[in-house]
């Protein structure tokens, strides 16, 4: 018989990497993504006894996005400045130049629009599921996605058509 802590530990081991990747796409900084993931997992652990077996992945993703949005409302991250950027791990997949270009452009998109773009196009959530995570209407998701894509298109310029699958 496993305890609740064992169940949570197994869940954490299986899902932490994916949640951290989502957090990174939202904030653009691996260290901050780790902080967001740790905060989200702490909240998830506290709610674990009443939430087990009830859509944990959706709930965990929701907590990560809500934690990111809440942090952006605070000013502490604007006061801290790194003196240099640590090197990011080398990725074997895809074109590194394209990935860096997209990440830089995504970082310029307002946080709420960025959250919609990451949930819809990275996590491949439906409009309805994205609205549920962000606690907003489907219309808001659609308008924020359209505005976010327009911001990416403007930022990427001629690179946008090359990077998007269908040129839109």
């Amino acid at each position: 018989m496993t305890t609740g802590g064992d169940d949570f530990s197994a869940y954490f081991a299986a899902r932490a990497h994916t949640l951290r990747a989502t957090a990174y796409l939202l904030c653009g900084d691996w260290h901050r993504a780790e902080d967001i993931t740790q905060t989200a997992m702490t909240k998830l652990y506290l709610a674990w006894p009443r939430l087990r077996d009830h859509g944990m992945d959706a709930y965990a993703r929701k907590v990560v996005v809500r934690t990111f949005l809440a942090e952006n409302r605070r000013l502490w991250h604007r006061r801290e400045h790194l003196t240099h950027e640590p090197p990011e791990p080398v990725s074997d997949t895809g074109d590194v130049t394209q990935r860096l270009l997209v990440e830089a452009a995504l970082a310029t998109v307002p946080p709420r629009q960025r959250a919609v773009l990451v949930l819809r196009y990275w996590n491949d959530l439906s409009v309805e599921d994205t609205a549920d995570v962000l606690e907003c209407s489907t219309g808001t998701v659609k308008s924020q996605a359209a505005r976010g894509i327009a911001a990416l298109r403007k930022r990427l310029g001629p690179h946008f058509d090359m990077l998007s699958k269908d040129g839109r």
Side-chain angles (χ1 to χ4, degrees):
M1 178 177 207
T2 61
T3 65
D6 291 339
D7 291 345
F8 181 80
S9 294
Y11 182 81
F12 181 89
R15 301 302 297 157
H17 179 72
T18 302
L19 294 172
R20 191 177 307 113
T22 296
Y24 173 74
L25 287 171
L26 291 169
C27 70
D29 178 313
W30 281 112
H31 300 287
R32 190 166 165 223
E34 182 69 30
D35 291 343
I36 290 169
T37 304
Q38 289 296 327
T39 301
M41 284 299 204
T42 301
K43 292 176 183 179
L44 188 63
Y45 180 77
L46 294 173
W48 187 258
R50 69 177 189 275
L51 296 173
R52 252 184 305 169
D53 304 324
H54 298 295
M56 291 308 301
D57 287 342
Y59 183 77
R61 198 171 26 246
K62 184 178 196 173
V63 173
V64 166
V65 172
R66 303 297 294 168
T67 300
F68 162 74
L69 291 173
E71 278 195 0
N72 278 329
R73 289 185 203 109
R74 294 186 202 125
L75 296 177
W76 74 265
H77 72 277
R78 293 189 181 120
R79 291 191 309 250
E80 293 182 7
H81 299 285
L82 298 175
T83 58
H84 67 282
E85 290 291 323
E88 298 298 336
V90 177
S91 173
D92 297 25
T93 60
D95 183 5
V96 175
T97 305
Q98 288 180 354
R99 181 180 55 83
L100 292 174
L101 186 65
V102 171
E103 286 176 5
L106 191 59
T108 66
V109 175
R112 187 98 170 155
Q113 292 173 12
R114 190 177 333 146
V116 168
L117 293 175
V118 169
L119 290 170
R120 287 281 292 129
Y121 304 110
W122 175 259
N123 290 136
D124 201 26
L125 296 185
S126 68
V127 171
E128 293 78 16
D129 290 342
T130 302
D132 182 54
V133 169
L134 296 175
E135 297 177 349
C136 64
S137 70
T138 57
T140 299
V141 170
K142 291 175 186 176
S143 66
Q144 292 291 302
R147 289 183 184 126
I149 290 171
L152 283 178
R153 183 184 308 265
K154 182 178 179 181
R155 176 73 177 173
L156 292 171
H159 300 289
F160 184 84
D161 290 335
M162 175 186 70
L163 295 171
S164 65
K165 293 178 186 173
D166 55 8
R168 293 185 292 137

